[in-house]
Amino acid sequence: MAPQRFHEQFEHIRRSLPDVPLTMGPDESAGYFYEKGVVLVRDGEEARFVEDAVRTHFTETRGLVPDHVRRLGPQAGRTGVTRIRVGDPDGAEDTVPHALRAVRGAEDRRGRRLAGRNHVVHIAVNACPGDEPVPVARTEPANPGAAEDSYDPATAVGVLVVDTGLVHDHRSYPLLAHTTGDAQLTETDDDGVLHQYVGHGTFIAGVLAAVAPNTDITVRGTLNDAGAVLESEFGALLFEAVDRDGWPDIISLSAGTPSPDADGLIGLDGFLRELRDQRTLLVAAAGNNGSDTPFWPAAYAALPEYADCVLSVGALRADGASGACFTNHGPWVRVHAPGERLTSALTGFTTPVPYVYQHSTYDSCRFGADYPCTCRYPRHTGVLSEGRESTGGKPDQVMFDGLAQWSGTSFATPVAAGLVAARMSAYRERDPRAAAAGLLAAAGERAEVRGAQVPALRPPTWRPVAAVVPAVPA
C-alpha cells in the first residue's frame, strides 16, 4: 500500500518538470524518481571514461548509434558534475540500469562509483508525504510552544532554511516577525485555492522559531517548484543559497531522495566537501518512506568524514513514545524528534484561504502501524486519488486561517535544528557542530523505532498529542 501515494506524487512532479523525462525505480516498490536515459558523472577524466565505456558497450551489445551516448551541457560550476545521455529518452526502455552496469567493473577497480542516476530531490513531505496539513483554530497554541528565550540580534544563531518560500503574510505570525528570505512565488491557483505544499517553508520556520527564539532565520525558496529538482541542479542551488548570505551556523534541510548507493549523491559531492571545511551544521530530514533505505543528504551522517557536520533526523509519533509510521529509520538516522501532528503557521492571519486535499486517507496504515496515525485520520478524499476503488467521491476542501497541524520528518528536522541553536544560546557556544555533539551526548531519552531503542529529542515546550478518532456509527 505504501507506494500508492508515491505514484500519485509521481504524476504531480512530472507535470511540474514537463521538459524532463522521468521514471521511477528500482522496481514496482517505487523507491525514487530519476531522469530517464541520463546518468550523472563527475566532470573531467571520469566523464570521458564513462562516455566512452557506455558508448562502446551500447553500440556492441544494444545496437544504438554512437550519438545516443553523449555529454549534455558544460560542467555545472562548483558542483563538478555533468549529465551523459545513454539512450533515447523518448524510447520505451530506460537504458540507465544498463549504462550503470557497463561501468561497474571499472568502478570496482578504481574503488569509487563513477556514475549514478540523476535523482529527483524533493521536499521530504513531497514524493511520499507524511500527510497534508489540517486546519487548526487560531485559539490553539503552537506545538512546540514558544520557548522562554528572547531574541537578541547581537547573539542570535544564524539558521538557513532551504525549502519553499515564505507566504506573503508570514510576519503576521508573531514568532516569524523577524524572519527574512524569499517569498513563495505563487501561493494559489486561478480559483484562489492553495497550491500543494505552499507554506511548507513557513511552517518549518515557525517550528524552528518556537524551539529557538534567539535565531536569525532566513528562508530560501530553493524548492518552490513543487518542491522538486534534479540532483544535477541541486548542488548548485545549495551553493547559491549559502553564497547569498554566507555560510550560516545551521542549515535546516527537509529534502532529499532515497538511494541504495552507500556513498551518497554524485550531484552533492562538491557541496558536501565544502560543507565539511566550514563550521556549518547541516540538519537534514530522514524522509517519509517508512524504509531503511538511506535518504540523502541525511544519510551522510553515517559516513565517518561527514559525521560531525551532518545530523540526520527521523520523526516520533504524536505521543512521542515511538517512531511515526512514515519515518525512515536505520543506523544512518542519528536522532528522532517529534514530527507527527505538530502545530505551526501555514499562512499568516490576514485572509482565510481554501485548500483541496490531494491524497486520500486509508482504511489501515499504509506502513502497517497499529496506532491512529495520519495515514487514517482525519479522514479525507483527495484529488489525486479520485476514482480509486477505496475512496471515490468529491475531494475535500478546508479553510486555513493561520495555523495548521502537519506531520513529516520535514518538521522533526527544525525541532532538532532549533534544539541545537537553543543550546548554542544557552551555553554561548559558537560552534554548531560542538553544540550538536553536546546535545546528543546529554540526551538520555530514548524511543522505540522498529524494534530498536534510539536517541530521542523532545523539546520542553512540546506537548504529546492524542489522535482524534471519529466514532463508528452504531
Side-chain angles (χ1 to χ4, degrees):
M1 183 186 295
Q4 176 182 322
R5 209 168 272 187
F6 195 87
H7 281 271
E8 292 169 0
Q9 279 302 107
F10 178 70
E11 297 303 322
H12 178 73
I13 290 175
R14 189 161 62 175
R15 288 194 297 272
S16 75
L17 300 172
D19 300 326
V20 181
L22 297 180
T23 188
M24 63 175 67
D27 47 43
E28 284 304 308
S29 66
Y32 42 78
F33 307 149
Y34 62 97
E35 186 178 14
K36 184 180 177 182
V38 169
V39 296
L40 194 62
V41 299
R42 299 171 190 86
D43 202 66
E45 185 271 334
E46 289 188 8
R48 289 189 292 272
F49 175 85
V50 170
E51 185 178 9
D52 292 343
V54 174
R55 180 181 291 115
T56 298
H57 174 77
F58 276 17
T59 53
E60 290 178 353
T61 65
R62 304 188 66 80
L64 295 180
V65 298
D67 191 52
H68 279 158
V69 180
R70 62 183 177 86
R71 269 182 276 187
L72 301 172
Q75 175 181 344
R78 285 149 68 189
T79 64
V81 297
T82 191
R83 296 156 57 239
I84 296 180
R85 190 170 75 183
V86 292
D88 183 358
D90 296 323
E93 182 184 23
D94 177 34
T95 53
V96 168
H98 303 289
L100 297 179
R101 283 194 290 270
V103 299
R104 191 161 297 159
E107 290 178 333
D108 292 340
R109 291 191 298 274
R110 295 185 179 208
R112 70 182 270 172
R113 193 157 50 96
L114 300 179
R117 290 175 172 84
N118 192 16
H119 299 89
V120 174
V121 178
H122 48 81
I123 56 177
V125 73
N126 190 310
C128 198
D131 70 349
E132 292 176 86
V134 177
V136 173
R138 292 189 186 186
T139 54
E140 287 289 318
N143 190 23
E148 293 183 359
D149 195 11
S150 58
Y151 173 67
D152 174 12
T155 62
V157 177
V159 183
L160 171 65
V161 174
V162 178
D163 207 87
T164 62
L166 292 162
V167 295
H168 74 280
D169 54 354
H170 70 277
R171 289 183 185 272
S172 300
Y173 184 58
L175 288 174
L176 297 179
H178 58 269
T179 296
T180 61
D182 299 331
Q184 175 75 36
L185 295 181
T186 306
E187 296 182 9
T188 60
D189 62 18
D190 293 340
D191 297 320
V193 177
L194 274 179
H195 287 301
Q196 193 176 19
Y197 304 124
V198 165
H200 191 262
T202 304
F203 192 98
I204 286 170
V207 170
L208 214 159
V211 176
N214 192 29
T215 46
D216 276 325
I217 301 172
T218 302
V219 179
R220 292 298 174 207
T222 304
L223 295 167
N224 262 337
D225 190 3
V229 66
L230 286 174
E231 176 187 336
S232 56
E233 301 170 5
F234 190 50
L237 290 172
L238 289 175
F239 275 128
E240 180 181 313
V242 297
D243 285 348
R244 288 180 68 174
D245 306 294
W247 287 85
D249 294 309
I250 299 169
I251 298 173
S252 180
L253 177 63
S254 294
T257 178
S259 173
D261 296 316
D263 57 350
L265 303 179
I266 289 175
L268 288 188
D269 273 359
F271 181 80
L272 265 293
R273 283 197 302 271
E274 287 206 27
L275 171 73
R276 187 177 56 196
D277 295 334
Q278 302 292 330
R279 56 185 291 276
T280 299
L281 175 71
L282 173 63
V283 185
N288 302 326
N289 301 77
S291 167
D292 61 359
T293 298
F295 188 85
W296 305 91
Y300 280 98
L303 302 183
E305 61 268 42
Y306 299 110
D308 68 330
C309 60
V310 180
L311 179 62
S312 49
V313 187
L316 298 176
R317 59 190 250 185
D319 64 6
S322 57
C325 66
F326 52 79
T327 189
N328 285 345
H329 52 91
W332 55 274
V333 183
R334 296 280 302 281
V335 72
H336 289 70
E340 189 177 67
R341 295 191 169 96
L342 300 187
T343 300
S344 184
L346 185 78
T347 68
F349 291 88
T350 55
T351 307
V353 61
Y355 177 75
V356 176
Y357 282 104
Q358 302 299 301
H359 302 288
S360 299
T361 46
Y362 300 83
D363 294 330
S364 59
C365 174
R366 58 199 157 116
F367 300 106
D370 59 0
Y371 73 98
C373 63
T374 58
C375 296
R376 297 187 285 167
Y377 308 110
R379 291 285 189 183
H380 47 252
T381 297
V383 172
L384 299 176
S385 303
E386 267 196 294
R388 292 186 180 275
E389 183 178 343
S390 61
T391 58
K394 185 178 179 180
D396 292 321
Q397 178 173 303
V398 293
M399 294 293 293
F400 283 104
D401 193 16
L403 297 181
Q405 198 175 79
W406 212 345
S407 305
T409 59
S410 281
F411 314 121
T413 298
V415 171
L419 287 171
V420 174
R423 184 179 177 90
M424 292 178 68
S425 293
Y427 288 86
R428 299 184 180 181
E429 173 64 71
R430 298 181 60 85
D431 184 347
R433 299 178 185 180
L439 181 69
L440 295 181
E445 298 186 46
R446 293 289 185 271
E448 189 276 328
V449 178
R450 303 290 175 134
Q453 291 293 315
V454 301
L457 298 173
R458 300 178 180 91
T461 59
W462 168 77
R463 306 177 310 279
V465 178
V468 178
V469 180
V472 178

